[in-house]
Amino acid sequence: MQRTTRTFSVATIDDFKHNLLCWSQEFENIIWLDSNQYKQQYSNFDCALAADDFTSIKTDYQNAFEKLKEYQEVTKDYIFGYITYDVKNDVEQLSSSNFDGLNFPDLYFFQPKKLIFIRGNQVEFQYLSMVDDEIESDFKIIHQFKKQTILPSTNTIKIKLRIHKDEYHAKVTKILEHIHKGDIYEANFCQEFYVENSEINPIEVYTHLNEISEPPFASFLKIDNHYALCASPERYLKKEGTKIISQPIKGTAKRLISPIDDVKIANDLIRDDKERAENVMIVDLVRNDLSKSAKKGTVYVEELCKVYAFKQVHQMISTVVSEIDETKTNPIDVLRDTFPMGSMTGAPKVSAMKIIEHLEETKRGLYSGTIGYFTPNNDFDFNVIIRSILYNQKRKYISYSVGGAITAKSIPEKEYEECLLKAKAMKYVLLNSK
């Protein structure tokens, strides 16, 4: 279907971005992607808003990738959406039977009537022909948008732990037993923090979370009564023509106020044998996953264990790339071959997923799944849903989960402390937003 494109220049782009996100709340289904202008090698835009579904697909995990493939091939347009972690059950003989307080559908994608990209000070509207007569008026409304004053919430946010500290230690010890027996090399073990019978203002909480972190793969998702407020620093997978890019994160250190101390802790992270071992194990897993669809001899590591600084933490990131033959390989097959992302599972992948499913107390759902989009020419880009607050508005259930890679060198106490560090931003915004 044809799209009409119009481009406008905006002097105060930050104000326009804020207005755009607030204006978008009038629609039932939206996805907002924001790179926060983080300088990175692979980037197509600063921000994108997909709003107002024309067509969509919603399904459980059974044959989810085949259904997505059919939908994407028929639509031949931009589609935005998400894949939950539990679609792993479509890839392997696995199951998900843990508690689920959020109830996101397993997979959802939609073709937006209204699509808006921001690059620098340029705002590009791409509207389907049925609504293209609204471009000018929408631009004016967004530019002059006046956000309604939000009264402070009167409900109390009481955060609970699904797994308490002693139980966490016992579960990590069991994972270490599996490692010492040779069942696995590494497992990404996650725990949930949750709030019951409470309401939040999603825009306020997301804006606060994003300001604290300013990550390159932030996203705001609203699908009916389900929200994902995502401050992710991690890319899962990107396709540019025949090139596939994966950028797993493993290795975290907190930022320090003193510049000298901050540089030192980053250098310590670079030299940390345990953190490097975690990262290298996942790099090997990603290389193996990419090789399933890659042209022979094209999988290689562009960058190994490089430390990048974000507002709250330093992260160790590797970049693994490959080339595919587009005449033989469907883009969704590349996603299927690599899903779920290795940084959120462990190695070997299937064994690790079975063990963590048994030991975790919560169905992961959208957490450690992915949000992203396909272009009309079969390119795509997807993040990893971490550092995120998930919200079921109808059930008044709020959730955020954090995890860490358990290896032979892991010490349960230190792993627990790393989880608390990763959870810090989500906890802070929930307790301090309206």
Side-chain angles (χ1 to χ4, degrees), residues 17-50:
K17 274 176 59 177
H18 184 71
N19 289 356
L20 178 59
L21 184 56
C22 293
W23 167 80
S24 72
Q25 299 308 297
E26 70 181 61
F27 303 104
E28 286 189 358
N29 298 316
I30 70 154
I31 288 182
W32 165 261
L33 305 176
D34 189 354
S35 71
N36 286 294
Q37 295 180 307
Y38 191 87
K39 298 207 182 314
Q40 52 181 319
Q41 184 178 352
Y42 300 103
S43 183
N44 293 337
F45 49 75
D46 296 334
C47 301
L49 174 72

Side-chain angles (χ1 to χ4, degrees), residues 316-346:
M316 189 181 285
I317 305 175
S318 292
T319 301
V320 190
V321 301
S322 66
E323 292 284 333
I324 61 167
D325 183 341
E326 287 192 294
T327 62
K328 297 178 182 176
T329 305
N330 187 287
I332 288 158
D333 289 336
V334 182
L335 281 170
R336 191 183 191 281
D337 287 342
T338 56
F339 194 83
M341 60 292 299
S343 61
M344 296 307 297
T345 58

Side-chain angles (χ1 to χ4, degrees), residues 256 258-271 314:
L256 299 176
S258 161
I260 294 170
D261 291 342
D262 195 53
V263 169
K264 182 182 182 300
I265 202 169
N267 287 332
D268 289 345
L269 178 59
I270 292 168
R271 294 191 294 268
H314 296 285

Side-chain angles (χ1 to χ4, degrees), residues 294-390:
K295 291 196 284 188
K296 192 173 180 180
T298 64
V299 179
Y300 69 100
V301 181
E302 274 191 350
E303 211 167 54
L304 183 65
C305 297
K306 183 170 178 180
V307 171
Y308 287 83
F310 299 91
K311 278 184 84 171
Q312 283 204 310
V313 291
H314 296 285
Q315 300 275 199
M316 189 181 285
I317 305 175
S318 292
T319 301
V320 190
V321 301
S322 66
E323 292 284 333
I324 61 167
D325 183 341
E326 287 192 294
T327 62
K328 297 178 182 176
T329 305
N330 187 287
I332 288 158
D333 289 336
V334 182
L335 281 170
R336 191 183 191 281
D337 287 342
T338 56
F339 194 83
M341 60 292 299
S343 61
M344 296 307 297
T345 58
K349 203 174 195 179
V350 176
S351 298
M353 285 192 286
K354 287 178 179 176
I355 289 166
I356 57 184
E357 174 69 27
H358 176 68
L359 290 172
E360 290 177 359
E361 297 291 332
T362 311
K363 182 178 175 182
R364 289 193 185 180
L366 196 54
Y367 171 70
S368 72
T370 183
I371 294 172
Y373 66 94
F374 292 88
T375 70
N377 61 351
N378 288 333
D379 284 347
F380 59 70
D381 201 2
F382 286 90
N383 73 358
V384 179
I385 303 174
I386 53 175
R387 319 290 162 83
S388 303
I389 295 168
L390 306 177

